[in-house]
Amino acid sequence: MSRIDLPPKFQPFQKFVTPRLIECLSLMLLAGWFSWCLSGMAPPQLIDRMNTDTWFDADIPRVFENITVRTRDHQVAYKHPLFSITFWSISQTINTIVDSFYLTVRIILALNAAVSIALLLSLLTKFQIQSIDRILFALLYIASGGFVFWYSMIETFPFGATSILIALHAVYWAKISSPVLRLGMMVFSGLASISVTITNFAATIFTVFALHGVFDSRSVSGVIQSLKQSRKPLLFYFSIVLFSATSISLVQDLTFGDAGFFLNLKSISQEVRFVGLETAVPLWARPGQLFICPIVIPSIDFNEAGLYFSPETMVLSARITGLKLDSTLSFIGSISWSLLLAVGVYRIFQPLIEPHSTLTQASMKSADLNFDDGVKVRTAAFLTLLTFFGLHLFYGAMPFLYVAHMLPLLTVVASAPFVSVGDLNPLIRNGLRGVLLMTIISIGPNNFMAFRETVMILSRELIFH
């Protein structure tokens, strides 16, 4: 790695200033700035109760109150266990400086975007992916539909995406030499994933399973045997995480109005009402929305619907009901992205498909610890991705509501062919790099124009108070 020479008065900081640091800070600033600009384009009326569900069925008014108001409307803690106590505390701190809760939440969104990119770059670096490819994947993430449409909105999903990236780091934090710091970071990883959305804990479950070699054999009998061998450390870890989450939840319940306890089986069981809704996107369109829409935004529909608490009041709502690619850019982006994802999935499954490949024999044996850990992380990401796909294939009226959670997992899976250690032909690697660049160039303008058109239409039509 080349050296960056600083002026004499900054020489004490010389060892910290590296091209990798400059790369990370630059992309973090870009992500934070873009999120800030996008959230500034969104109509402020979205936080009004009368406009619930206007933004693709999102609960923006409730989430805004969860972040800014302590005394009411925290009753969905059974789905978002520690969201209120975490982000209310942050918002109060920032608001003492800016004195505007709406501005405060926009700042939190921008900071969250920057943290997501830092975590993504950290994973890609640990995968031994080259600098140019790391930058391209970060730009893909920032230009994606999941980022443009959700990292700009006051919802739980952008924070949930960040928590998933934190969970995937557990494989590396388990290598920390200090026992106290190692345990602290591992517990933090589990708490982060369960704090925003309870289903995101799947990322921690699969990551910790992968860490203990549960999926090394890639056979059912081998998985069962590994689970038996690792049951004590697994039970110890999950017990600590759940005990810590329970303790914090009790504090939240005492402090935040109607928060309640997150292990509320009665409330969780009532979530079945969101399966098979009459207004739900048809089953045939859901797989495409879950795998394509996190990256490429298709045609957006607008329709008027009555509010659930005031049926006589009609409100315009933005929706994605199918997968109509009505522009050349969206078509090109979806094709190139599908190719990247398909190759990524193949590379993850290659040891199973080609048991005698050079990747699994020579390269894996000569690779260092980081590459072995990278295989574990990508396996955990893929299994979490399949879990979310299976869940949202049926649960929820609109799959687009959940694409921010799919985005980090899809990005990690698609990065598999770009790992430096391996047997991929350089010509094929450069070709895939070209496909990645083509994806970014096509989806960036397409997604931004779709976002701008959506906020402009809603700005003209929303109920004003």
Side-chain angles (χ1 to χ4, degrees):
M1 182 174 293
S2 60
R3 173 188 174 95
I4 296 178
D5 294 322
L6 297 178
K9 63 180 179 179
F10 296 111
Q11 285 299 318
F13 305 99
Q14 179 72 59
K15 64 179 180 179
F16 300 108
V17 180
T18 64
R20 186 173 295 170
L21 177 64
I22 300 300
E23 169 194 310
C24 182
L25 291 177
S26 299
L27 289 167
M28 287 176 66
L29 286 172
L30 175 62
W33 170 81
F34 195 36
S35 171
W36 174 262
C37 293
L38 292 170
S39 66
M41 295 171 62
Q45 293 79 18
L46 285 173
I47 67 171
D48 194 299
R49 277 288 181 179
M50 298 295 287
N51 294 317
T52 296
D53 294 341
T54 292
W55 188 264
F56 305 95
D57 283 355
D59 294 333
I60 292 175
R62 176 188 58 76
V63 175
F64 180 77
E65 287 199 357
N66 287 170
I67 296 176
T68 59
V69 180
R70 183 180 61 83
T71 56
R72 66 177 185 270
D73 209 23
H74 299 276
Q75 67 273 13
V76 294
Y78 67 92
K79 289 192 292 187
H80 309 289
L82 307 176
F83 181 80
S84 297
I85 194 171
T86 301
F87 290 95
W88 180 86
S89 304
I90 296 173
S91 74
Q92 295 302 308
T93 302
I94 297 176
N95 193 59
T96 58
I97 302 172
V98 302
D99 195 27
S100 167
F101 276 119
Y102 189 75
L103 185 61
T104 291
V105 177
R106 287 184 59 205
I107 292 172
I108 294 174
L109 284 170
L111 291 173
N112 176 69
V115 171
S116 276
I117 289 300
L119 290 167
L120 176 65
L121 287 171
S122 173
L123 283 178
L124 297 179
T125 300
K126 294 178 188 302
F127 293 167
Q128 301 185 26
I129 290 178
Q130 296 178 14
S131 177
I132 181 62
D133 297 324
R134 291 198 304 268
I135 293 172
L136 288 176
F137 271 106
L139 293 176
L140 175 75
Y141 198 97
I142 295 169
S144 69
F147 187 98
V148 171
F149 275 74
W150 292 109
Y151 275 79
S152 56
M153 288 296 147
I154 305 169
E155 249 292 0
T156 59
F157 302 110
F159 305 109
T162 302
S163 75
I164 290 170
L165 288 167
I166 292 174
L168 295 176
H169 274 78
V171 168
Y172 301 101
W173 288 335
K175 311 300 180 183
I176 296 174
S177 56
S178 168
V180 176
L181 182 59
R182 179 172 65 247
L183 179 61
M185 293 303 293
M186 289 293 291
V187 172
F188 166 71
S189 175
L191 286 174
S193 68
I194 202 174
S195 63
V196 179
T197 303
I198 196 167
T199 52
N200 286 358
F201 196 54
T204 287
I205 293 174
F206 287 123
T207 302
V208 174
F209 279 8
L211 171 64
H212 285 82
V214 171
F215 307 120
D216 286 358
S217 67
R218 310 243 173 165
S219 69
V220 175
S221 59
V223 169
I224 295 174
Q225 184 62 30
S226 296
L227 281 172
K228 290 180 179 179
Q229 294 175 351
S230 305
R231 63 182 181 276
K232 288 185 178 180
L234 288 174
L235 287 173
F236 174 73
Y237 171 73
F238 289 122
S239 296
I240 291 180
V241 171
L242 292 176
F243 175 78
S244 301
T246 300
S247 302
I248 299 171
S249 177
L250 290 174
V251 174
Q252 178 178 259
D253 186 26
L254 294 172
T255 311
F256 287 78
D258 53 357
F261 184 50
F262 77 91
L263 288 178
N264 189 326
L265 297 180
K266 180 180 178 181
S267 297
I268 292 175
S269 65
Q270 293 175 355
E271 289 297 298
V272 296
R273 69 185 186 274
F274 294 110
V275 176
L277 294 170
E278 291 183 3
T279 58
V281 171
L283 186 61
W284 65 264
R286 298 174 83 91
Q289 287 199 13
L290 290 169
F291 288 136
I292 300 298
C293 289
I295 304 297
V296 186
I297 298 299
S299 176
I300 296 173
D301 303 319
F302 297 88
N303 68 296
E304 289 189 339
L307 300 173
Y308 66 91
F309 55 84
S310 181
E312 69 279 2
T313 303
M314 304 300 289
V315 178
L316 191 70
S317 174
R319 299 181 62 83
I320 294 179
T321 55
L323 195 63
K324 182 181 179 183
L325 304 171
D326 57 353
S327 71
T328 303
L329 288 175
S330 64
F331 181 77
I332 294 174
S334 63
I335 294 299
S336 55
W337 164 246
S338 297
L339 177 59
L340 285 173
L341 182 60
V343 176
V345 171
Y346 171 76
R347 292 293 283 184
I348 289 175
F349 273 91
Q350 189 172 359
L352 189 63
I353 299 170
E354 302 176 17
H356 302 293
S357 67
T358 55
L359 175 65
T360 57
Q361 299 298 319
S363 301
M364 286 288 286
K365 288 181 180 178
S366 63
D368 62 15
L369 183 62
N370 286 339
F371 183 65
D372 289 331
D373 288 343
V375 173
K376 295 179 185 295
V377 174
R378 290 189 293 275
T379 300
F382 181 72
L383 292 173
T384 308
L385 183 67
L386 288 183
T387 300
F388 286 178
F389 173 76
L391 174 66
H392 297 304
L393 191 61
F394 305 102
Y395 174 85
M398 193 181 314
F400 186 67
L401 187 62
Y402 311 104
V403 296
H405 287 172
M406 305 289 284
L407 177 60
L409 300 169
L410 287 167
T411 306
V412 168
V413 170
S415 71
F418 294 83
V419 173
S420 296
V421 182
D423 62 345
L424 194 64
N425 186 294
L427 184 62
I428 297 176
R429 187 189 303 276
N430 289 331
L432 288 174
R433 188 175 291 158
V435 174
L436 175 57
L437 182 60
M438 182 186 301
T439 306
I440 297 168
I441 293 173
S442 58
I443 69 170
N446 174 79
N447 295 340
F448 179 75
M449 288 187 293
F451 180 85
R452 184 176 63 178
E453 180 183 9
T454 303
V455 297
M456 287 177 61
I457 292 174
L458 292 180
S459 296
R460 291 196 302 263
E461 301 294 336
L462 286 180
I463 297 175
F464 291 84
H465 297 280

